[in-house]
Coordinates of all heavy atoms in Angstrom, one line a residue:
M16 N -46.5 -21.7 -19.3 CA -45.7 -20.5 -19.8 C -45.3 -19.7 -18.6 O -44.1 -19.2 -18.5 CB -46.6 -19.8 -20.8 CG -46.0 -18.5 -21.3 SD -45.5 -18.8 -22.9 CE -44.9 -17.2 -23.4
F17 N -46.2 -19.4 -17.7 CA -45.9 -18.5 -16.6 C -44.9 -19.2 -15.7 O -44.0 -18.5 -15.1 CB -47.2 -18.2 -15.8 CG -47.0 -17.2 -14.7 CD1 -46.7 -15.9 -14.9 CD2 -47.1 -17.7 -13.4 CE1 -46.5 -15.0 -13.9 CE2 -46.9 -16.8 -12.3 CZ -46.6 -15.5 -12.6
K18 N -45.1 -20.5 -15.4 CA -44.1 -21.2 -14.6 C -42.7 -21.2 -15.2 O -41.7 -21.1 -14.4 CB -44.6 -22.7 -14.4 CG -45.7 -22.8 -13.4 CD -46.0 -24.3 -13.2 CE -47.1 -24.4 -12.2 NZ -47.4 -25.8 -11.8
E19 N -42.6 -21.3 -16.4 CA -41.3 -21.3 -17.1 C -40.6 -20.0 -16.9 O -39.4 -19.9 -16.6 CB -41.4 -21.6 -18.6 CG -41.9 -23.0 -18.9 CD -42.1 -23.2 -20.4 OE1 -41.9 -22.3 -21.2 OE2 -42.6 -24.3 -20.7
Q20 N -41.4 -18.9 -17.0 CA -40.8 -17.6 -16.8 C -40.4 -17.3 -15.4 O -39.4 -16.8 -15.1 CB -41.8 -16.5 -17.3 CG -42.0 -16.4 -18.8 CD -43.1 -15.4 -19.2 OE1 -43.8 -14.9 -18.4 NE2 -43.1 -15.2 -20.5
M21 N -41.2 -17.8 -14.5 CA -40.9 -17.7 -13.0 C -39.6 -18.5 -12.7 O -38.8 -18.0 -11.9 CB -42.1 -18.2 -12.2 CG -43.2 -17.2 -12.1 SD -42.8 -15.6 -11.5 CE -42.4 -15.9 -9.9
N22 N -39.5 -19.7 -13.3 CA -38.3 -20.5 -13.1 C -37.1 -19.8 -13.6 O -36.0 -19.8 -13.0 CB -38.5 -21.9 -13.7 CG -39.4 -22.7 -12.9 OD1 -39.6 -22.5 -11.7 ND2 -40.0 -23.7 -13.6
K23 N -37.2 -19.1 -14.8 CA -36.1 -18.4 -15.3 C -35.6 -17.2 -14.4 O -34.5 -17.0 -14.2 CB -36.4 -17.8 -16.7 CG -36.5 -18.9 -17.8 CD -36.8 -18.2 -19.1 CE -36.9 -19.3 -20.2 NZ -37.3 -18.7 -21.5
I24 N -36.6 -16.5 -13.9 CA -36.4 -15.4 -13.0 C -35.7 -15.9 -11.7 O -34.7 -15.3 -11.2 CB -37.7 -14.6 -12.7 CG1 -38.1 -13.9 -14.0 CG2 -37.4 -13.6 -11.6 CD1 -39.5 -13.3 -13.8
K25 N -36.2 -17.0 -11.2 CA -35.7 -17.6 -10.0 C -34.2 -18.0 -10.2 O -33.3 -17.8 -9.4 CB -36.5 -18.8 -9.5 CG -37.8 -18.5 -8.9 CD -38.5 -19.7 -8.4 CE -39.9 -19.4 -7.9 NZ -40.6 -20.7 -7.5
S26 N -33.9 -18.6 -11.3 CA -32.6 -19.1 -11.6 C -31.6 -17.9 -11.7 O -30.5 -17.9 -11.3 CB -32.5 -19.9 -12.9 OG -32.9 -19.2 -14.0
L27 N -32.1 -16.8 -12.3 CA -31.3 -15.6 -12.4 C -31.0 -15.0 -11.1 O -29.8 -14.6 -10.8 CB -31.9 -14.5 -13.3 CG -32.0 -14.8 -14.8 CD1 -32.8 -13.8 -15.5 CD2 -30.6 -14.9 -15.4
V28 N -32.0 -15.0 -10.2 CA -31.8 -14.4 -8.8 C -30.8 -15.3 -8.1 O -29.9 -14.8 -7.4 CB -33.1 -14.3 -8.1 CG1 -32.9 -14.0 -6.6 CG2 -34.0 -13.3 -8.8
I29 N -31.0 -16.6 -8.2 CA -30.1 -17.5 -7.5 C -28.6 -17.4 -8.0 O -27.7 -17.4 -7.2 CB -30.6 -19.0 -7.6 CG1 -31.9 -19.2 -6.9 CG2 -29.5 -20.0 -7.2 CD1 -32.5 -20.5 -7.1
K30 N -28.4 -17.2 -9.3 CA -27.1 -17.0 -9.8 C -26.5 -15.8 -9.3 O -25.3 -15.7 -8.9 CB -27.1 -17.0 -11.3 CG -27.3 -18.3 -12.0 CD -27.3 -18.2 -13.5 CE -27.6 -19.5 -14.2 NZ -27.6 -19.4 -15.6
E31 N -27.3 -14.7 -9.2 CA -26.7 -13.4 -8.7 C -26.3 -13.5 -7.3 O -25.3 -13.0 -6.9 CB -27.8 -12.3 -8.9 CG -28.0 -11.9 -10.3 CD -29.1 -10.8 -10.4 OE1 -29.5 -10.3 -9.4 OE2 -29.5 -10.5 -11.6
K32 N -27.1 -14.2 -6.5 CA -26.8 -14.4 -5.0 C -25.5 -15.2 -4.9 O -24.7 -14.9 -4.1 CB -27.9 -15.1 -4.3 CG -29.1 -14.2 -4.1 CD -30.2 -14.9 -3.3 CE -31.4 -14.0 -3.0 NZ -32.4 -14.7 -2.3
Q33 N -25.4 -16.3 -5.7 CA -24.2 -17.1 -5.7 C -22.9 -16.3 -6.1 O -21.9 -16.4 -5.5 CB -24.3 -18.3 -6.6 CG -25.3 -19.3 -6.0 CD -25.5 -20.5 -7.0 OE1 -25.1 -20.4 -8.2 NE2 -26.2 -21.5 -6.5
Q34 N -23.1 -15.4 -7.1 CA -21.9 -14.6 -7.5 C -21.6 -13.6 -6.4 O -20.4 -13.4 -6.2 CB -22.3 -13.9 -8.8 CG -22.4 -14.8 -10.0 CD -22.8 -14.1 -11.3 OE1 -23.3 -12.9 -11.2 NE2 -22.8 -14.8 -12.4
D35 N -22.6 -13.1 -5.7 CA -22.3 -12.1 -4.6 C -21.5 -12.8 -3.5 O -20.6 -12.3 -2.9 CB -23.6 -11.5 -4.1 CG -24.2 -10.6 -5.0 OD1 -23.5 -10.1 -5.9 OD2 -25.4 -10.3 -4.8
V36 N -21.9 -14.1 -3.2 CA -21.3 -14.8 -2.1 C -19.8 -15.1 -2.5 O -18.9 -15.0 -1.7 CB -22.0 -16.1 -1.8 CG1 -21.2 -17.0 -0.9 CG2 -23.4 -15.8 -1.2
E37 N -19.6 -15.5 -3.8 CA -18.2 -15.8 -4.3 C -17.4 -14.5 -4.2 O -16.2 -14.6 -3.8 CB -18.3 -16.4 -5.7 CG -18.9 -17.7 -5.8 CD -19.0 -18.2 -7.2 OE1 -18.6 -17.6 -8.1 OE2 -19.6 -19.3 -7.4
V38 N -17.9 -13.4 -4.6 CA -17.2 -12.2 -4.6 C -16.8 -11.8 -3.1 O -15.7 -11.4 -2.8 CB -18.0 -11.0 -5.2 CG1 -17.3 -9.7 -4.9 CG2 -18.1 -11.2 -6.7
K39 N -17.7 -12.0 -2.2 CA -17.4 -11.7 -0.8 C -16.3 -12.6 -0.3 O -15.5 -12.2 0.5 CB -18.7 -11.9 0.1 CG -19.7 -10.7 -0.2 CD -20.9 -10.9 0.7 CE -21.9 -9.8 0.4 NZ -23.2 -9.9 1.2
K40 N -16.4 -13.9 -0.7 CA -15.3 -14.9 -0.2 C -14.0 -14.5 -0.8 O -13.0 -14.5 -0.1 CB -15.7 -16.3 -0.7 CG -16.8 -16.9 0.1 CD -17.0 -18.3 -0.4 CE -18.2 -19.0 0.3 NZ -18.5 -20.4 -0.2
D41 N -13.9 -14.0 -2.0 CA -12.7 -13.6 -2.6 C -12.1 -12.4 -1.9 O -10.9 -12.3 -1.7 CB -12.9 -13.3 -4.1 CG -13.1 -14.6 -4.9 OD1 -12.8 -15.7 -4.5 OD2 -13.6 -14.4 -6.1
K42 N -13.0 -11.4 -1.6 CA -12.6 -10.2 -0.9 C -12.0 -10.6 0.5 O -11.1 -10.0 0.9 CB -13.7 -9.2 -0.8 CG -14.0 -8.5 -2.1 CD -15.1 -7.5 -1.9 CE -15.5 -6.8 -3.2 NZ -16.6 -5.8 -3.0
R43 N -12.7 -11.5 1.1 CA -12.3 -11.9 2.5 C -10.9 -12.5 2.4 O -10.1 -12.3 3.3 CB -13.3 -12.9 3.0 CG -13.1 -13.2 4.5 CD -13.3 -12.1 5.3 NE -13.1 -12.5 6.7 CZ -13.3 -11.7 7.7 NH1 -13.7 -10.5 7.5 NH2 -13.1 -12.1 8.9
K44 N -10.7 -13.4 1.4 CA -9.4 -14.0 1.3 C -8.3 -12.9 1.1 O -7.2 -13.0 1.7 CB -9.4 -15.0 0.1 CG -10.1 -16.2 0.3 CD -10.1 -17.1 -0.9 CE -10.9 -18.4 -0.8 NZ -10.9 -19.2 -2.0
I45 N -8.5 -12.0 0.2 CA -7.6 -10.9 0.0 C -7.3 -10.1 1.3 O -6.1 -9.8 1.6 CB -8.0 -10.0 -1.2 CG1 -8.0 -10.8 -2.5 CG2 -7.2 -8.7 -1.3 CD1 -8.7 -10.0 -3.6
E46 N -8.4 -9.8 2.0 CA -8.2 -9.1 3.3 C -7.3 -9.9 4.2 O -6.5 -9.3 4.9 CB -9.5 -8.8 3.9 CG -10.4 -7.7 3.2 CD -11.7 -7.6 3.7 OE1 -12.1 -8.3 4.7 OE2 -12.5 -6.7 3.2
N47 N -7.6 -11.2 4.3 CA -6.8 -12.0 5.2 C -5.3 -12.1 4.8 O -4.4 -12.0 5.6 CB -7.4 -13.4 5.2 CG -8.7 -13.5 6.0 OD1 -9.0 -12.6 6.8 ND2 -9.4 -14.5 5.8
L48 N -5.1 -12.1 3.5 CA -3.7 -12.2 3.0 C -3.0 -10.9 3.3 O -1.8 -10.9 3.7 CB -3.7 -12.4 1.5 CG -3.9 -13.9 1.1 CD1 -4.0 -14.0 -0.4 CD2 -2.9 -14.8 1.6
V49 N -3.6 -9.7 3.1 CA -3.0 -8.4 3.4 C -2.7 -8.3 4.9 O -1.6 -7.9 5.3 CB -4.0 -7.3 3.0 CG1 -3.5 -6.0 3.5 CG2 -4.1 -7.3 1.4
A50 N -3.7 -8.7 5.8 CA -3.4 -8.7 7.2 C -2.2 -9.6 7.6 O -1.4 -9.2 8.4 CB -4.7 -9.1 7.9
F51 N -2.2 -10.8 7.0 CA -1.1 -11.7 7.3 C 0.3 -11.1 6.9 O 1.3 -11.2 7.6 CB -1.3 -13.0 6.5 CG -0.1 -14.0 6.7 CD1 0.1 -14.6 7.9 CD2 0.7 -14.2 5.6 CE1 1.2 -15.5 8.0 CE2 1.8 -15.0 5.7 CZ 2.0 -15.7 6.9
L52 N 0.3 -10.4 5.7 CA 1.6 -9.8 5.2 C 2.0 -8.7 6.1 O 3.2 -8.6 6.4 CB 1.4 -9.3 3.8 CG 1.3 -10.4 2.7 CD1 1.1 -9.8 1.4 CD2 2.6 -11.2 2.7
I53 N 1.1 -7.9 6.6 CA 1.4 -6.8 7.5 C 2.0 -7.3 8.8 O 3.0 -6.8 9.3 CB 0.2 -5.9 7.7 CG1 -0.2 -5.1 6.4 CG2 0.4 -4.9 8.9 CD1 -1.5 -4.4 6.5
I54 N 1.3 -8.3 9.3 CA 1.8 -8.9 10.6 C 3.2 -9.5 10.4 O 4.1 -9.4 11.2 CB 0.8 -10.0 11.1 CG1 -0.5 -9.2 11.6 CG2 1.4 -10.8 12.3 CD1 -1.6 -10.2 11.9
L55 N 3.4 -10.2 9.3 CA 4.7 -10.8 9.0 C 5.8 -9.8 8.9 O 6.9 -9.9 9.4 CB 4.6 -11.6 7.7 CG 5.9 -12.3 7.2 CD1 6.2 -13.4 8.2 CD2 5.7 -12.9 5.8
I56 N 5.5 -8.7 8.2 CA 6.5 -7.6 8.0 C 6.9 -7.0 9.4 O 8.1 -6.8 9.7 CB 6.0 -6.5 7.0 CG1 6.0 -7.1 5.6 CG2 6.9 -5.3 7.1 CD1 5.3 -6.3 4.6
V57 N 5.9 -6.7 10.2 CA 6.1 -6.1 11.5 C 6.9 -7.1 12.4 O 7.9 -6.7 13.1 CB 4.8 -5.7 12.2 CG1 5.0 -5.4 13.7 CG2 4.1 -4.6 11.4
T58 N 6.6 -8.4 12.3 CA 7.3 -9.4 13.1 C 8.8 -9.4 12.6 O 9.7 -9.5 13.5 CB 6.6 -10.7 12.9 OG1 5.3 -10.6 13.3 CG2 7.3 -11.8 13.8
L59 N 9.0 -9.5 11.3 CA 10.4 -9.5 10.8 C 11.2 -8.3 11.3 O 12.4 -8.4 11.6 CB 10.4 -9.7 9.3 CG 9.9 -11.0 8.8 CD1 9.9 -11.0 7.3 CD2 10.8 -12.1 9.3
I60 N 10.6 -7.1 11.2 CA 11.3 -5.9 11.6 C 11.6 -6.0 13.1 O 12.7 -5.6 13.5 CB 10.5 -4.7 11.3 CG1 10.4 -4.5 9.8 CG2 11.0 -3.4 12.0 CD1 9.5 -3.4 9.3
A61 N 10.7 -6.5 13.9 CA 10.9 -6.5 15.4 C 12.0 -7.6 15.7 O 12.9 -7.3 16.5 CB 9.6 -7.0 16.1
I62 N 12.0 -8.7 15.0 CA 13.0 -9.7 15.3 C 14.4 -9.2 14.8 O 15.4 -9.4 15.5 CB 12.7 -11.0 14.5 CG1 11.5 -11.7 15.2 CG2 13.9 -12.0 14.4 CD1 11.0 -12.9 14.4
N63 N 14.4 -8.5 13.7 CA 15.7 -7.9 13.2 C 16.2 -6.9 14.2 O 17.4 -6.9 14.5 CB 15.5 -7.2 11.9 CG 16.8 -6.8 11.2 OD1 17.8 -7.3 11.5 ND2 16.7 -5.7 10.4
M64 N 15.4 -6.0 14.8 CA 15.9 -5.0 15.8 C 16.3 -5.7 17.1 O 17.3 -5.3 17.7 CB 14.7 -4.1 16.1 CG 14.4 -3.2 14.9 SD 13.0 -2.1 15.2 CE 13.9 -0.8 16.2
I65 N 15.7 -6.8 17.5 CA 16.1 -7.4 18.7 C 17.4 -8.1 18.5 O 18.3 -8.1 19.4 CB 15.0 -8.4 19.1 CG1 13.7 -7.7 19.6 CG2 15.5 -9.4 20.2 CD1 12.5 -8.6 19.8
L66 N 17.6 -8.8 17.4 CA 18.8 -9.6 17.2 C 20.0 -8.7 16.9 O 21.1 -9.0 17.2 CB 18.6 -10.6 16.1 CG 17.6 -11.8 16.5 CD1 17.5 -12.7 15.3 CD2 18.1 -12.5 17.7
K67 N 19.7 -7.6 16.2 CA 20.8 -6.7 15.8 C 21.4 -6.1 17.1 O 22.6 -6.1 17.2 CB 20.2 -5.6 14.9 CG 21.2 -4.7 14.4 CD 20.6 -3.7 13.5 CE 21.6 -2.7 12.9 NZ 21.0 -1.7 12.0
G68 N 20.6 -5.6 18.0 CA 21.1 -5.0 19.2 C 22.1 -3.9 19.0 O 22.2 -3.3 17.9
K69 N 22.8 -3.5 20.0 CA 23.9 -2.5 19.9 C 25.2 -3.1 19.9 O 25.6 -3.8 20.8 CB 23.8 -1.5 21.1 CG 22.5 -0.7 21.1 CD 22.6 0.3 22.3 CE 21.3 1.2 22.3 NZ 21.3 2.1 23.4
R70 N 25.9 -2.9 18.8 CA 27.3 -3.5 18.6 C 28.3 -2.3 18.7 O 28.1 -1.3 18.2 CB 27.4 -4.2 17.3 CG 26.5 -5.4 17.2 CD 26.7 -6.2 16.0 NE 25.8 -7.4 16.0 CZ 25.7 -8.2 15.0 NH1 26.5 -8.0 13.9 NH2 24.9 -9.2 15.0
K71 N 29.4 -2.6 19.3 CA 30.5 -1.6 19.5 C 31.6 -1.9 18.5 O 31.9 -2.9 18.1 CB 31.0 -1.6 20.9 CG 30.0 -1.2 21.9 CD 30.6 -1.1 23.2 CE 29.6 -0.6 24.3 NZ 30.2 -0.6 25.6

């Protein structure tokens, strides 16, 4: 009886840890996407300014 309860508690703790890891991975992916988009936008603006130049 005691072993069964301990196993249930262990399984709950393991599930919580796995969920925390998954949430951290998801947050990390979102952070990487946001950083990539910012770099992409800055790059596009810089290329546009360079190619546009001064026209008379």
Side-chain angles (χ1 to χ4, degrees):
M16 177 106 176
F17 183 72
K18 284 186 178 183
E19 292 173 6
Q20 290 176 347
M21 287 301 293
N22 287 335
K23 287 181 183 179
I24 293 172
K25 285 181 184 179
S26 66
L27 289 174
V28 170
I29 290 172
K30 285 182 184 178
E31 288 178 10
K32 286 183 181 179
Q33 289 175 347
Q34 290 174 352
D35 288 344
V36 170
E37 291 175 4
V38 168
K39 288 180 183 178
K40 286 181 182 179
D41 291 340
K42 286 183 180 179
R43 186 67 178 185
K44 287 180 184 179
I45 292 171
E46 289 175 0
N47 288 341
L48 286 174
V49 169
F51 174 73
L52 288 175
I53 291 171
I54 292 171
L55 180 65
I56 291 170
V57 169
T58 304
L59 289 175
I60 291 171
I62 290 173
N63 188 27
M64 293 177 78
I65 291 171
L66 293 178
K67 185 177 179 183
K69 293 183 179 179
R70 295 186 181 175
K71 293 183 179 179

